[in-house]
């Protein structure tokens, strides 16, 4: 049920392929509240990434609603405060949702600092010097200020992913979306990325994270969603999900991964 703290309300979300034969999402309903660290778990092919990518319309839903900041973003147009029909500006919407993927998507021909300031300057119109100062402060926060003039090829996978996270933060988003941010990393690099995410959680950043890291889900998430076959089968606190699972599919899943 929507509350004053609701940031995103997802209602009966569907994503079908091949004329409805394949149901990647089959009626998902959930509220994401301000300050939530929502962790989405489930077997491969369960619809987790499709759900996440639908939140900022990287996947266009087949049906249902996604209310973000009071607007159903699945509609091409909406009524503004004055009752006028306004076209949805997807680019503006995506500025409010930071996205971190499995692969870092850094521009290889640009330094780390230039990767960081590109969007704030080009998209938000931020003064270049202000963007530079902010970027250096963010890099310092994740222990990479001394790598500002390096190129992506000179960084480890864990370092690149930390840069990808603070690059998204440079746009001052309302919510951060993480699509399996550690799955492409060597095991010894996973911890350094999860540490950055833990810090964000402590600071109250709203986060939705698709992950296979059950330890992270248990320790940092305040809500855990379990998906299978395109459906949200169970949700609750980490204690509910891991200590007292109800759905047979969840019990089976946990028996395999824990």
């Amino acid at each position: 049920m929507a509350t004053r703290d609701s940031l995103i309300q997802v209602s009966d979300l569907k994503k079908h392929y091949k004329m409805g034969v394949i149901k990647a999402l089959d009626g998902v309903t959930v509220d994401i509240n301000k300050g939530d660290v929502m962790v989405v778990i489930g077997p491969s092919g369960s619809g987790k990434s499709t759900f996440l990518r639908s939140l900022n319309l990287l996947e266009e839903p087949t049906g249902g609603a996604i209310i973000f900041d009071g607007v159903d973003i699945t509609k091409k147009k909406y009524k503004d405060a004055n009752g006028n029909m306004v076209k949805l500006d997807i680019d503006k919407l995506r500025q409010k949702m930071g996205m971190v993927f499995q692969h870092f998507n850094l521009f290889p021909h640009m330094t780390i600092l230039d990767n960081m300031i590109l969007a704030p300057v080009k998209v938000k119109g931020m003064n270049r010097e202000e963007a530079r100062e902010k970027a250096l402060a963010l890099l310092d926060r994740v222990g990479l200020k001394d790598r500002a003039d390096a190129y992506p090829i000179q960084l480890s996978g864990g370092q690149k992913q930390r840069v990808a996270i603070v690059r998204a933060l440079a746009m001052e988003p309302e919510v951060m979306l993480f699509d399996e941010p550690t799955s492409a990393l060597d095991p010894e690099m996973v911890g350094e990325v999860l540490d950055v995410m833990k810090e964000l959680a402590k600071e109250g950043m709203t986060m939705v994270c698709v992950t296979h890291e059950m330890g992270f889900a248990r320790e940092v998430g305040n809500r855990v969603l379990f998906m299978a076959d395109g459906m949200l089968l169970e949700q609750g606190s980490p204690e509910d999900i891991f200590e007292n699972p109800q759905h047979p599919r969840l019990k089976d899943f946990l028996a395999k991964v824990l």
Side-chain angles (χ1 to χ4, degrees):
M1 197 174 77
T3 69
R4 276 185 319 179
D5 292 328
S6 289
L7 183 61
I8 306 172
Q9 293 129 47
V10 180
S11 177
D12 198 27
L13 192 65
K14 296 181 173 78
K15 176 66 179 180
H16 297 171
Y17 297 97
K18 295 191 176 177
M19 308 289 285
V21 175
I22 297 170
K23 296 178 177 175
L25 292 175
D26 195 16
V28 174
T29 297
V30 68
D31 274 358
I32 300 162
N33 297 321
K34 289 170 188 164
D36 263 348
V37 180
M38 183 177 278
V39 184
V40 189
I41 64 171
S44 294
S46 59
K48 305 184 299 293
S49 289
T50 305
F51 166 70
L52 192 78
R53 292 164 64 86
S54 296
L55 294 179
N56 66 357
L57 301 185
L58 285 177
E59 292 278 1
E60 205 163 312
T62 308
I66 302 169
I67 312 292
F68 178 56
D69 280 354
V71 172
D72 183 354
I73 64 174
T74 64
K75 305 280 188 281
K76 304 293 184 204
K77 292 184 175 178
Y78 65 95
K79 274 188 182 175
D80 67 9
N82 301 317
N84 301 315
M85 290 305 287
V86 181
K87 190 176 178 214
L88 180 74
D89 186 339
I90 290 185
D91 292 330
K92 200 167 183 184
L93 162 81
R94 287 184 183 141
Q95 288 177 38
K96 299 177 181 181
M97 295 187 179
M99 182 105 189
V100 179
F101 300 91
Q102 295 179 31
H103 299 284
F104 327 111
N105 296 354
L106 300 174
F107 293 107
H109 63 289
M110 297 171 72
T111 66
I112 297 307
L113 186 61
D114 286 339
N115 264 285
M116 291 279 298
I117 67 175
L118 182 66
V121 171
K122 294 271 189 198
V123 180
K124 289 189 95 172
M126 195 182 280
N127 169 291
R128 191 175 175 84
E129 192 49 45
E130 184 191 348
R132 190 175 180 282
E133 278 180 31
K134 190 169 178 188
L136 287 171
L138 284 166
L139 286 171
D140 192 33
R141 181 173 159 181
V142 294
L144 291 172
K145 188 177 180 181
D146 62 330
R147 309 295 280 150
D149 295 323
Y151 287 86
I153 198 169
Q154 297 170 297
L155 270 58
S156 71
Q159 289 173 326
K160 286 179 198 170
Q161 195 61 297
R162 281 187 277 160
V163 171
I165 292 171
V166 289
R167 180 181 60 174
L169 287 176
M171 293 295 284
E172 300 177 326
E174 292 180 35
V175 58
M176 287 283 285
L177 310 176
F178 294 90
D179 190 5
E180 298 189 20
T182 59
S183 65
L185 299 178
D186 291 334
E188 66 268 23
M189 294 174 185
V190 169
E192 63 191 65
V193 174
L194 293 180
D195 284 345
V196 174
M197 294 170 68
K198 286 174 191 172
E199 282 302 312
L200 286 177
K202 275 187 206 160
E203 289 163 16
M205 170 60 78
T206 307
M207 295 157 61
V208 184
C209 180
V210 170
T211 186
H212 292 296
E213 298 288 337
M214 295 301 128
F216 175 81
R218 212 168 191 159
E219 183 188 342
V220 182
N222 72 312
R223 292 173 69 197
V224 180
L225 309 187
F226 172 70
M227 292 184 67
D229 305 320
M231 293 182 282
L232 173 55
L233 296 183
E234 195 163 335
Q235 63 172 306
S237 68
E239 292 77 19
D240 294 335
I241 296 296
F242 291 106
E243 306 299 334
N244 191 27
Q246 300 297 308
H247 198 284
R249 287 295 301 275
L250 175 56
K251 290 177 182 176
D252 182 55
F253 173 76
L254 292 176
K256 288 173 180 167
V257 299
L258 291 181

